[in-house]
Amino acid sequence: MANAPLKVVTLNVNGVRAAFRKGMADWLAESKPDILCLQEVRASDADLEALFGEVNHLSPSGQWHILHDPASAKGRAGVAVVSAEASLTHSSVLGPDDFDSAGRWLEAEFDVNGERLTVVSTYVHSGEVDTPKQVEKYKFLEAMTARMAELLATRENVVVLGDLNVGHTELDIKNWKGNVKNAGFLPEERAYFDGFMNKQGWRDLGRDAHPGVAGPYTWWSFRGQAFDTDAGWRIDYQLATPKLAERASNYRVDRAASYDTRFTDHSPVVVEYNF
């Protein structure tokens, strides 16, 4: 990759086929990311190849390269890394051998002007208090913590990005008081994020760009007036190693202009990296 700065985007598409039907290609035409990390793909390899094949002209290089890790259960989860240039290597290994992380963790390594960049598209479970879903969420956060420590210790330029399904602080949820006992804002979940940022040293680029202020939110329910009243959650992140964070600029949330122009219930989170 020779582009400078390098535009890296994370986006939960809430079903990539539906997102394209609702106008995702128009956003691609305007944004033209160099690396696009997707979550909740909920489609096959063939679906992705067909959709992005139709919009190859919207890639900065004129060609999209697709890595995809589908979930074990058809039509669920799924993460992808779509890039203007091919990756050097990729992996979807996370946690113990008996741990099913399929469709939720995909690492890709790129050459950017002679330097190595690792991007990780991840989709953390949404969870549900006092159910097996919450147990699986904690298992995933444990495995994620261990792998992020390894990445931090062995590589300088890494960004972990995606729908992490946790609001770290009271600034990250509009109605935080009403959610302190709900999945997504439980103290036990938020403690993992304290570990990422305060103990391991990862930089939350969204909070770095907006210190001490509410939001900017990245997800709003399709129900009610959540989008119109900005009653959202900031659950889509770009977490960078300290060295990569120094290269980061122009963080933004590509919030749709209006409710009826949304192609997903999340907004793209965009960061440019200067190599």
Side-chain angles (χ1 to χ4, degrees), residues 150-263:
E150 293 173 354
L151 289 169
L152 195 65
T154 57
R155 307 183 193 184
E156 292 185 326
N157 296 309
V158 185
V159 57
V160 176
L161 63 173
D163 177 1
L164 304 189
N165 263 318
V166 176
H168 183 201
T169 73
E170 295 171 4
L171 296 174
D172 298 318
I173 302 179
K174 180 72 171 284
N175 180 26
W176 66 267
K177 290 182 180 179
N179 284 285
V180 291
K181 295 182 179 181
N182 293 331
F185 200 61
L186 297 172
E188 297 88 349
E189 296 172 332
R190 295 161 60 200
Y192 284 97
F193 284 65
D194 291 338
F196 298 152
M197 271 71 89
N198 301 335
K199 295 179 182 179
Q200 291 189 354
W202 292 84
R203 296 273 295 278
D204 176 354
L205 301 183
R207 187 52 59 215
D208 283 357
H210 300 278
V213 300
Y217 306 124
T218 65
W219 175 84
W220 304 261
S221 172
F222 273 131
R223 295 176 291 183
Q225 300 295 312
F227 185 79
D228 294 333
T229 61
D230 200 25
W233 297 49
R234 190 177 76 94
I235 54 177
D236 302 88
Y237 294 80
Q238 295 208 26
L239 305 181
T241 52
K243 180 176 179 179
L244 186 61
E246 293 175 0
R247 301 175 182 265
S249 62
N250 297 326
Y251 173 98
R252 71 176 185 274
V253 176
D254 272 359
R255 192 179 191 273
S258 61
Y259 179 93
D260 60 348
T261 59
R262 304 171 73 190
F263 58 86

Side-chain angles (χ1 to χ4, degrees):
M1 292 186 181
N3 287 6
L6 187 79
K7 185 181 290 186
V8 181
V9 180
T10 183
L11 172 61
N12 180 318
V13 290
N14 194 18
V16 70
R17 291 168 294 182
F20 268 86
R21 286 197 303 270
K22 295 176 182 178
M24 181 175 163
D26 294 334
W27 170 80
L28 272 175
E30 183 176 350
S31 183
K32 288 190 176 180
D34 295 291
I35 300 175
L36 174 60
C37 291
L38 304 178
Q39 301 88 43
E40 276 201 274
V41 172
R42 303 206 304 262
S44 67
D45 289 353
D47 291 328
L48 279 171
E49 293 288 349
L51 290 169
F52 281 93
E54 292 176 357
V55 292
N56 272 335
H57 62 288
L58 300 181
S59 164
S61 67
Q63 173 71 45
W64 293 113
H65 299 266
I66 301 170
L67 300 173
H68 178 219
D69 186 47
S72 299
K74 187 176 180 180
R76 302 291 297 277
V79 289
V81 177
V82 183
S83 55
E85 303 293 341
S87 65
L88 299 172
T89 62
H90 68 276
S91 171
S92 58
V93 175
L94 180 70
D97 292 341
D98 61 350
F99 178 58
D100 182 10
S101 63
R104 294 187 179 274
W105 184 269
L106 180 58
E107 301 177 18
E109 189 173 22
F110 296 90
D111 180 290
V112 186
N113 295 341
E115 296 188 68
R116 295 295 178 94
L117 169 68
T118 301
V119 300
V120 183
S121 180
T122 186
Y123 177 47
V124 176
H125 303 67
S126 56
E128 185 178 339
V129 174
D130 296 330
T131 74
K133 292 181 179 180
Q134 194 66 28
V135 174
E136 289 303 307
K137 185 172 189 176
Y138 288 134
K139 285 182 180 178
F140 189 89
L141 287 169
E142 286 286 347
M144 183 174 169
T145 298
R147 180 56 181 154
M148 287 174 68
E150 293 173 354
L151 289 169
L152 195 65
T154 57
R155 307 183 193 184
E156 292 185 326
N157 296 309
V158 185
V159 57
V160 176
L161 63 173
D163 177 1
L164 304 189
N165 263 318
V166 176
H168 183 201
T169 73
E170 295 171 4
L171 296 174
D172 298 318
I173 302 179
K174 180 72 171 284
N175 180 26
W176 66 267
K177 290 182 180 179
N179 284 285
V180 291
K181 295 182 179 181
N182 293 331
F185 200 61
L186 297 172
E188 297 88 349
E189 296 172 332
R190 295 161 60 200
Y192 284 97
F193 284 65
D194 291 338
F196 298 152
M197 271 71 89
N198 301 335
K199 295 179 182 179
Q200 291 189 354
W202 292 84
R203 296 273 295 278
D204 176 354
L205 301 183
R207 187 52 59 215
D208 283 357
H210 300 278
V213 300
Y217 306 124
T218 65
W219 175 84
W220 304 261
S221 172
F222 273 131
R223 295 176 291 183
Q225 300 295 312
F227 185 79
D228 294 333
T229 61
D230 200 25
W233 297 49
R234 190 177 76 94
I235 54 177
D236 302 88
Y237 294 80
Q238 295 208 26
L239 305 181
T241 52
K243 180 176 179 179
L244 186 61
E246 293 175 0
R247 301 175 182 265
S249 62
N250 297 326
Y251 173 98
R252 71 176 185 274
V253 176
D254 272 359
R255 192 179 191 273
S258 61
Y259 179 93
D260 60 348
T261 59
R262 304 171 73 190
F263 58 86
T264 175
D265 51 352
H266 293 251
S267 285
V269 176
V270 183
V271 177
E272 295 178 1
Y273 295 93
N274 300 287
F275 280 84

